[in-house]
Amino acid sequence: MNSKTTFAVVDIETTGTDLAADDRTIQFSCCLVSDNKITDTFVTDINPQREVPNRIVQLTGITNDRLTHAPTFDQVAAKLYGLLNETVFVAHNVNFDFPFLNAEFQRVGYPELQIEAIDTVTMSQILLPTLSSYRLQDLSAYFNIEHDHPHTADSDALATAKLLLILLRQIEELPSTTLQQILNVSPSLPQDTLKVFLNANEVNQKQAHVKKLPGHLKLSSGLVIRRRELGNDKQQLRSANDRYPKTKKAKAKILPDQLESRLEQNKMMNLIYNNYADPQHHDAKTMVIEAPTGIGKSLGYCLPFSYLVSQQKPVVISTSTTYLQFQLQNQTIPMLNQELPFEISSIILKGARHYIDLYKFKNLLFVPDNSHQTPFVKAQILVWLTMTTTGDLDELHLNVDQTPFVWKIQHTGVRWLDPSEPFYEDDFLRYNLKRAKLADFIIVNHTYLIKNWQYFKELPVKPYLLIDETQQFAETAIKNNQEKINPLSLITIINKILASINQNHEDNIGSIIANNAILGRLTDELADKLTTTKNLIHQIMTTIFSQVVAHKKLHRNVDFFERLIPITEMKDSTKANQGMIQQLRHVKDQIDDLLVELNREVDNNANSFTNQDFLGIYSFFENYNHFNDRLRQLLGIIDVDDQSIEQHVTWVTINHVKDVNSLTLNRGILKTEDYLTEHIYSSFEPTTFTGATIFSSRRSQFIYDLLGIDRQKTAVKRLKSDFNPANQARLYLVTDESDAKFATNSDAYLQQVATNIEAIYGQVPRQTLVLFNSLNAIERTYRLLQESGFTANHFVLAQGVHGTATKISKQFIHHEPAILLGANTFWQGVDFPHHLLENLIVAQLPFDTPADPYNHARYSIERSKGKNPFYSITLPKTTLRLRQGMGRLLRTRDDYGTIFILDPRLLTKRYGSIVLANLRNEIPIVQGDINHCIADMVKFFESKA
């Protein structure tokens, strides 16, 4: 490859992807590229001499009739072979197109093409590491490449050719240091793709002068990174003359022309501003604003807070989804800054492990490991460092579970930073924390807020706090105050660390620091303290076993026994073990001090270690962090005062043979209101809560208790939706003669669900989400669909069967039509707008499991207050989740679709009428058997055609 190379950018359409099944080419297209421009194009249909499957016809638009008069492959082979010979073959997924064409050539008597071949998918992944999708149509949209007919060879080839020109230019613009480092890590790329980078590097080396870095980049201890400024010196600050626009007319002058004025959004803006604007004359109140999807909620709170904040008094916005964080930071706030007479600054703050540790990355850059993915990820990160200003690893959209290297370069917190380290001044975590002190808007997720409330409490002035996606906030508070620890796993980690210290192996810490007397002394002391810790843990667990498990009545579950520990018994156990617990805490403090000293000494002697040594050192510290987290969890359960015991529920699980080594301690917060009031709310001005679905009913106390706020002192507003549900959707309550016979988790009921899914989808194949209450029910239903042969002809994704919620959501978006069987986060944490979701099926109502020890304890407290927990906790929570689940369908005013509720309990149980009355539903309801409902669905979709 050189400057005179001709690239043949090829795309083919085929009857399928399996050459062994005699799949054939049905269309070939080629664009020739040389001298940085497209010089020629060629396209032809090809008769495959076999039937084209219907799904391929639907995908490509190429019909069997159209191909009847097209030439066969052997008739065009000479033309194609001559066209491609002596070129560099290029394709978007070259490992499909190139072997497929070569197999076709061989089939008709030609030899394989002996030419170089490169891949634009992996080139894009390295050069554009922050994109979430590398499909050709998505890359075309990103670069504004005209691509009107995806999955037709001529359109795909032309789009790929234009993409190639962009990628080649980007490789030329890479800093020479970065390019050389990519080649040094040597990522495994398809066919000859790496040669493109090699060729660019050869051109650089032939230059008479070294290529200078552009002004926005700098070389930091061997890595090329983007320059960053703490603040914007040119930022136009708000003046006393910049008054909040209270009227609709005043807002219209500020807001972008493309945004129409919305009455409910205007109400929300004024409610928030008026609540905080005049503290000298009236105190701000806690406020709850239920703002339905589509009213412009984000802008509804960002505009008023823009006029309220100051550099000393920011607003903290807490959300539950990274999507909303991204939307606020990259869409809503930049849009406001274009229109406001002043500028507001913002930052997203995340936990330390979200950020890259540059020192670790540099030391591990050229250390090989066993994963073939690691060199590729390293190449992506090298390019990303020339782009990112945050160092947030989430920008890379990597699957951390499949990329263990990312664990090794995650930041562990500012506590471990040493000012003498090479990257101290350029450290991303330090930079983001500094920026936060200057920001007007600090955007966090609920978990960060709950775990880092002390950071905000220490600010000189109380900031404002807005909680978006309120329902998830309360649940996050509960989850983050739940601990689960099997002490044996802690002892296993200790043994692993001790082995690293004591055993002679080149990657173990003991061997790495063998020639350093100070480090040797520190690790010897550490080994002694860890052995003491291990013995103390064993003694404590043996004692706890005898106190709360031995000779006690245990509840039998399928896989284990469990027991809820009464509060008085937990208090007695904690007091009896206090001596050993305090010893354990004291030893933990000593270990922490030793590790800080050990880390400092390693930094002081950094030049004496190889990159391979650092791999062992970082592995050692990772094991320590794992140990420290687990020990903190254990102490969080066993070392607590009486007040904390009363606010929490504690239970144990153990295997069926009651082996003490299988004992697991569990703890969850019961009184979230006390925790939230004491730690979160007290650190801020009175909180504003908002979300699309907050209330289970107008009279219910549920959400107030869950959030720990005083109903009498809270301002509440339920805004109206500006959707037109009567025209956008239909809600079907499906009845059946056997409704009263089956429990909704029985085999017979799930067989009925599977049959109904087939009937609904078979009649109108549209993007369909089916919501269940458990992964077990999903797996069983999927097996039934599989056994009936339905999955052989239709694309069905099942959570837990085909992967995580994130993985199957991406597949669902990129494959239409499809069916997704989901639970848990799919009730509230996904967004499939427009045609990406047109049919929602509720297979099971989202009830909590009453037998769960945590729920059992909460219900007991409700009973002690003279309340029925089913009506005070379970039913309101189920109603909220059902509202949230139904809310997945209509995300914009242009969306339309249908909802089927198959669970008969809405109609057969007394509480069903309560749920229906509180759904705040304006969608027309149709009730009847499955055939009647499907017939009405068909008419509804026909009316939208």
Side-chain angles (χ1 to χ4, degrees):
M1 270 177 262
N2 53 50
S3 59
K4 298 180 180 179
T5 296
T6 296
F7 296 96
V9 185
V10 173
D11 186 78
I12 58 174
E13 302 301 332
T14 65
T15 58
T17 59
D18 189 358
L19 284 165
D22 201 28
D23 278 320
R24 301 281 182 86
T25 305
I26 59 174
Q27 191 180 54
F28 171 93
S29 182
C30 176
C31 293
L32 296 179
V33 174
S34 61
D35 294 327
N36 295 316
K37 59 181 180 289
I38 298 170
T39 59
D40 199 3
T41 61
F42 174 79
V43 62
T44 180
D45 288 349
I46 298 173
N47 186 338
Q49 299 177 292
R50 53 163 293 179
E51 191 80 7
V52 179
N54 187 52
R55 60 186 176 84
I56 300 297
V57 173
Q58 290 179 342
L59 186 68
T60 64
I62 301 172
T63 64
N64 284 290
D65 288 343
R66 171 175 158 181
L67 295 175
T68 302
H69 304 293
T72 60
F73 192 86
D74 60 335
Q75 292 172 329
V76 295
K79 168 76 173 174
L80 302 188
Y81 202 89
L83 183 69
L84 298 176
N85 206 22
E86 297 184 359
T87 68
V88 172
F89 188 98
V90 183
H92 201 67
N93 189 10
V94 74
N95 277 345
F96 170 72
D97 296 74
F98 193 52
F100 201 102
L101 268 179
N102 267 329
E104 287 275 52
F105 281 127
Q106 286 184 305
R107 180 175 63 81
V108 296
Y110 281 78
E112 286 190 355
L113 286 163
Q114 299 298 317
I115 58 176
E116 293 177 335
I118 63 174
D119 178 52
T120 53
V121 173
T122 45
M123 285 173 67
S124 300
Q125 289 171 329
I126 288 177
L127 297 168
L128 307 163
T130 61
L131 298 189
S132 58
S133 169
Y134 296 93
R135 293 193 310 166
L136 183 58
Q137 63 194 80
D138 294 325
L139 287 165
S140 298
Y142 180 77
F143 286 116
N144 292 318
I145 296 171
E146 189 174 335
H147 188 209
D148 296 330
H149 304 289
H151 302 296
T152 57
D154 52 346
S155 179
D156 285 354
L158 186 59
T160 305
K162 292 177 180 179
L163 174 63
L164 174 68
L165 291 171
I166 294 170
L167 297 177
L168 292 174
R169 189 161 58 249
Q170 291 201 340
I171 291 176
E172 287 177 13
E173 293 172 356
L174 280 176
S176 54
T177 300
T178 302
L179 181 57
Q180 184 62 61
Q181 288 171 334
I182 289 172
L183 293 172
N184 289 347
V185 299
S186 189
S188 176
L189 302 181
Q191 305 289 339
D192 305 289
T193 307
L194 192 63
K195 288 185 179 180
V196 185
F197 294 87
L198 281 164
N199 182 61
N201 192 50
E202 288 173 7
V203 171
N204 284 344
Q205 291 175 347
K206 290 176 183 177
Q207 298 292 328
H209 303 286
V210 177
K211 187 165 60 174
K212 287 185 177 180
L213 284 176
H216 67 281
L217 298 177
K218 68 182 231 183
L219 188 65
S220 176
S221 299
L223 293 177
V224 178
I225 64 174
R226 195 175 186 89
R227 292 185 186 274
R228 293 162 282 158
E229 301 297 333
L230 263 183
N232 181 3
D233 295 334
K234 298 179 181 178
Q235 181 179 349
Q236 187 175 348
L237 301 176
R238 184 163 55 90
S239 71
N241 296 323
D242 295 323
R243 298 188 179 279
Y244 171 73
K246 289 191 175 183
T247 66
K248 179 180 176 181
K249 185 177 180 180
K251 290 185 181 71
K253 292 180 179 179
I254 289 176
L255 296 177
D257 293 338
Q258 70 269 23
L259 290 182
E260 60 181 286
S261 177
R262 300 179 184 180
L263 178 62
E264 297 299 290
Q265 184 189 64
N266 188 52
K267 287 180 183 177
M268 182 177 186
M269 291 173 175
N270 290 348
L271 280 167
I272 292 172
Y273 182 79
N274 292 335
N275 189 44
Y276 299 107
D278 194 7
Q280 294 179 344
H281 292 88
H282 71 84
D283 293 334
K285 298 178 71 173
T286 298
M287 191 155 48
V288 181
I289 304 173
E290 188 173 72
T293 301
I295 72 160
K297 170 167 53 76
S298 299
L299 190 60
Y301 56 71
C302 282
L303 179 68
F305 276 119
S306 299
Y307 284 86
L308 290 165
V309 297
S310 65
Q311 201 171 81
Q312 291 296 313
K313 195 177 182 69
V315 59
V316 176
I317 299 177
S318 182
T319 76
S320 69
T321 61
T322 54
Y323 172 76
L324 185 52
Q325 288 179 311
F326 178 87
Q327 184 185 55
L328 289 168
Q329 175 79 335
N330 296 285
Q331 296 175 19
T332 307
I333 293 172
M335 180 181 66
L336 278 174
N337 276 334
Q338 287 179 0
E339 307 297 334
L340 291 173
F342 53 88
E343 286 184 59
I344 50 175
S345 58
S346 62
I347 186 172
I348 296 175
L349 270 189
K350 298 183 179 181
R353 289 187 174 273
H354 289 270
Y355 299 100
I356 187 172
D357 186 318
L358 289 171
Y359 192 35
K360 290 181 180 178
F361 177 68
K362 177 63 188 311
N363 286 328
L364 299 180
L365 182 56
F366 302 119
V367 178
D369 68 14
N370 296 324
S371 171
H372 73 278
Q373 286 184 314
T374 298
F376 190 87
V377 171
K378 287 176 179 177
Q380 286 184 296
I381 292 173
L382 285 166
V383 176
W384 170 66
L385 287 175
T386 68
M387 304 173 175
T388 184
T389 59
T390 67
D392 181 357
L393 289 162
D394 292 344
E395 292 175 358
L396 292 167
H397 304 289
L398 295 172
N399 185 335
V400 177
D401 292 333
Q402 295 178 351
T403 317
F405 174 73
V406 178
W407 300 342
K408 299 171 185 175
I409 60 170
Q410 289 173 328
H411 213 296
T412 48
V414 291
R415 175 191 177 193
W416 296 100
L417 291 177
D418 188 325
S420 65
E421 288 181 2
F423 295 98
Y424 183 78
E425 292 301 324
D426 289 317
D427 183 76
F428 283 107
L429 181 57
R430 284 184 68 247
Y431 169 75
N432 282 288
L433 290 172
K434 281 183 179 180
R435 276 190 61 208
K437 291 180 180 179
L438 303 173
D440 299 313
F441 282 54
I442 302 173
I443 304 165
V444 300
N445 65 25
H446 297 334
T447 298
Y448 185 92
L449 176 64
I450 289 162
K451 288 186 173 181
N452 296 276
W453 55 269
Q454 289 165 312
Y455 172 83
F456 301 106
K457 202 176 191 74
E458 292 167 2
L459 294 177
V461 180
K462 280 188 177 182
Y464 301 105
L465 175 62
L466 180 127
I467 307 269
D468 200 349
E469 298 167 315
T470 292
Q471 175 63 20
Q472 287 91 315
F473 172 71
E475 292 182 4
T476 303
I478 292 171
K479 288 177 183 175
N480 278 277
N481 278 280
Q482 288 185 343
E483 305 283 3
K484 177 181 180 180
I485 180 70
N486 168 237
L488 179 63
S489 66
L490 185 50
I491 290 173
T492 301
I493 297 169
I494 293 173
N495 288 336
K496 192 174 182 180
I497 298 173
L498 288 172
S500 179
I501 294 173
N502 297 323
Q503 292 180 6
N504 290 323
H505 188 279
E506 61 180 9
D507 291 333
N508 284 345
I509 191 75
S511 300
I512 293 169
I513 54 116
N515 296 323
N516 187 301
I518 296 175
L519 288 172
R521 175 184 60 79
L522 290 171
T523 52
D524 286 345
E525 287 184 44
L526 181 62
D528 180 58
K529 300 301 180 188
L530 286 170
T531 302
T532 301
T533 301
K534 185 169 71 168
N535 293 334
L536 280 169
I537 292 170
H538 180 73
Q539 292 173 38
I540 291 170
M541 294 320 300
T542 302
T543 305
I544 289 176
F545 176 82
S546 65
Q547 291 168 335
V548 302
V549 178
H551 312 299
K552 302 290 185 180
K553 184 177 180 180
L554 306 178
H555 176 72
R556 187 184 186 100
N557 268 332
V558 177
D559 300 317
F560 53 82
F561 285 113
E562 65 185 10
R563 179 173 183 257
L564 188 66
I565 305 175
I567 288 176
T568 52
E569 196 174 310
M570 189 65 197
K571 288 179 179 179
D572 291 341
S573 174
T574 302
K575 287 174 184 175
N577 297 326
Q578 201 55 227
M580 289 185 291
I581 290 171
Q582 290 310 311
Q583 286 183 59
L584 183 60
R585 188 169 285 283
H586 178 65
V587 176
K588 178 188 180 299
D589 292 341
Q590 290 178 319
I591 291 173
D592 288 347
D593 291 341
L594 280 170
L595 262 293
V596 171
E597 195 174 346
L598 190 66
N599 184 65
R600 188 184 306 117
E601 196 62 30
V602 166
D603 285 342
N604 291 340
N605 293 273
N607 292 334
S608 63
F609 300 119
T610 66
N611 287 337
Q612 187 67 41
D613 290 339
F614 274 110
L615 183 61
I617 290 169
Y618 292 149
S619 178
F620 170 79
F621 277 100
E622 277 299 307
N623 287 332
Y624 161 73
N625 287 328
H626 196 192
F627 155 78
N628 198 39
D629 289 343
R630 291 294 183 91
L631 184 53
R632 178 193 54 77
Q633 287 178 309
L634 177 62
L635 288 169
I637 296 174
I638 65 175
D639 186 20
V640 287
D641 57 26
D642 287 354
Q643 182 184 3
S644 182
I645 290 173
E646 290 169 1
Q647 290 177 344
H648 291 77
V649 56
T650 309
W651 69 98
V652 294
T653 59
I654 196 165
N655 65 15
H656 284 156
V657 297
K658 300 181 184 178
D659 175 14
V660 66
N661 289 323
S662 72
L663 181 67
T664 298
L665 300 177
N666 306 267
R667 184 174 187 253
I669 192 168
L670 278 175
K671 300 180 179 179
T672 52
E673 61 273 21
D674 294 344
Y675 175 84
L676 293 173
T677 300
E678 181 181 344
H679 295 110
I680 310 296
Y681 305 150
S682 64
S683 305
F684 298 90
E685 293 285 355
T687 305
T688 295
F689 297 92
T690 190
T693 310
I694 298 177
F695 297 99
S696 58
S697 73
R698 191 171 294 278
R699 293 184 299 171
S700 175
Q701 181 66 23
F702 173 72
I703 196 65
Y704 300 98
D705 291 343
L706 198 61
L707 295 174
I709 56 178
D710 188 334
R711 187 171 191 165
Q712 302 306 316
K713 298 178 181 178
T714 300
V716 175
K717 184 67 177 179
R718 301 183 78 178
L719 300 174
K720 296 177 182 177
S721 171
D722 62 354
F723 287 179
N724 182 7
N727 187 51
Q728 288 180 261
R730 291 291 181 271
L731 173 61
Y732 298 107
L733 305 181
V734 180
T735 61
D736 191 276
E737 292 181 0
S738 60
D739 279 348
K741 294 181 183 179
F742 309 129
T744 55
N745 203 39
S746 67
D747 290 339
Y749 175 73
L750 293 179
Q751 177 62 70
Q752 189 173 297
V753 167
T755 302
N756 286 342
I757 291 171
E758 293 182 17
I760 294 166
Y761 188 83
Q763 192 66 45
V764 181
R766 293 179 180 265
Q767 287 291 94
T768 300
L769 172 63
V770 188
L771 293 174
F772 290 82
N773 200 28
S774 72
L775 295 179
N776 175 265
I778 289 175
E779 183 179 352
R780 289 158 61 197
T781 304
Y782 179 77
R783 299 300 173 217
L784 291 168
L785 293 170
Q786 204 173 33
E787 290 168 8
S788 71
F790 183 79
T791 59
N793 299 309
H794 301 92
F795 192 70
V796 183
L797 294 161
Q799 186 182 0
V801 177
H802 298 107
T804 63
T806 302
K807 179 182 177 181
I808 64 174
S809 292
K810 288 180 180 177
Q811 290 178 276
F812 184 64
I813 289 170
H814 294 149
H815 197 295
E816 298 178 57
I819 301 174
L820 192 157
L821 313 182
N824 306 325
T825 57
F826 284 102
W827 285 94
Q828 58 189 24
V830 294
D831 199 10
F832 299 128
H834 306 302
H835 57 88
L836 294 177
L837 179 60
E838 294 178 316
N839 207 347
L840 180 73
I841 300 174
V842 177
Q844 296 171 311
L845 294 178
F847 281 106
D848 275 344
T849 306
D852 178 84
Y854 176 77
N855 289 329
H856 180 72
R858 290 185 69 203
Y859 298 163
S860 296
I861 290 176
E862 287 297 288
R863 291 190 190 97
S864 69
K865 297 176 183 177
K867 297 180 180 179
N868 183 336
F870 180 79
Y871 287 98
S872 64
I873 295 178
T874 304
L875 202 59
K877 199 170 182 180
T878 300
T879 304
L880 274 174
R881 281 188 187 156
L882 183 57
R883 283 188 64 197
Q884 290 168 333
M886 290 170 59
R888 299 307 93 202
L889 183 67
L890 302 181
R891 308 303 292 168
T892 73
R893 278 183 287 182
D894 297 325
D895 293 351
Y896 61 87
T898 56
I899 302 171
F900 285 79
I901 299 184
L902 304 182
D903 194 317
R905 289 174 289 182
L906 277 187
L907 298 173
T908 61
K909 298 293 184 181
R910 188 178 64 176
Y911 59 74
S913 59
I914 300 174
V915 175
L916 285 171
N918 290 309
L919 284 179
R920 214 182 181 200
N921 172 61
E922 297 176 28
I923 300 173
I925 297 176
V926 176
Q927 183 176 326
D929 63 30
I930 189 66
N931 293 325
H932 173 74
C933 292
I934 288 175
D936 191 86
M937 173 192 69
V938 172
K939 291 179 184 177
F940 172 78
F941 281 120
E942 285 175 350
S943 72
K944 299 297 176 186

